[in-house]
Amino acid sequence: MALIIQTDTMSEYNTLYVSVQIAADSLQRFFQERPNLHSLSGPWLEWWQTREMYGKRDLDRIPAYNTPTRRAVFDQLLNDPRNGCLERYDSTRAQWIFAVLFFSENYTEIIPMLALLHDLAAYQATSDTGLAILYDFYWDNRTVMAYLSFYDQQAVLQPYQLLLEVDPAVLAPIERDLTRAIEILRQQNEQ
């Protein structure tokens, strides 16, 4: 498990948490590919209509990260101690977990990550499930920026806006992982 946390930038960044079932070799194939460009389709536009924000503009494109591999995106996040990252792979459950305590506060920055994670579904087995959520964990406003459900080799954007819309049974292990990450941060800061 890699954990890197630092708190010197305290903007109200939302937390990214990803938990998906995926075979280790399939995950590695996903990591080795270059991020894809996505076309602006109905599901993206429907999801965008559910987002509430000040000065909202039309969603006119889905940008992609400009990195040689998808792994490079995750490594950049892991290597910046200001982000507070957690990554682990449970080979017994074939489950990948990736979290960034301080990921982003704006939609322009999260859309490339959503597109990248959307591509992950194609590497899963049909029976694999998972989720990716971007929400206000650390600052406790209880709002959801984005939520992807993974099932049947698809990643579907959900219209959730408030954390109370997310099943508490789904949320409990997420909050345990993130609370554990904060405790590790506190311990590191005391040393």
Side-chain angles (χ1 to χ4, degrees), residues 4 6 15 39 47 51 58 66 73 98 104 110 114 120 122-123 129-130 134 140 142 146 150-151 157 161 176 185 188:
I4 306 168
Q6 184 175 327
T15 297
S39 61
W47 168 76
R51 302 300 88 196
D58 289 339
N66 185 19
V73 174
F98 182 80
S104 179
I110 73 160
L114 293 175
L120 180 60
Y123 293 80
T129 61
L134 268 148
D140 205 28
R142 314 315 273 173
F150 291 82
Y151 57 89
L157 284 160
Q161 294 183 41
R176 275 194 304 270
L185 165 67
Q188 288 175 345

Side-chain angles (χ1 to χ4, degrees), residues 5 22 46 48 76 95 135:
I5 303 177
I22 187 168
E46 289 168 16
W48 188 248
Q76 286 173 2
Q95 180 184 31
Y135 76 109

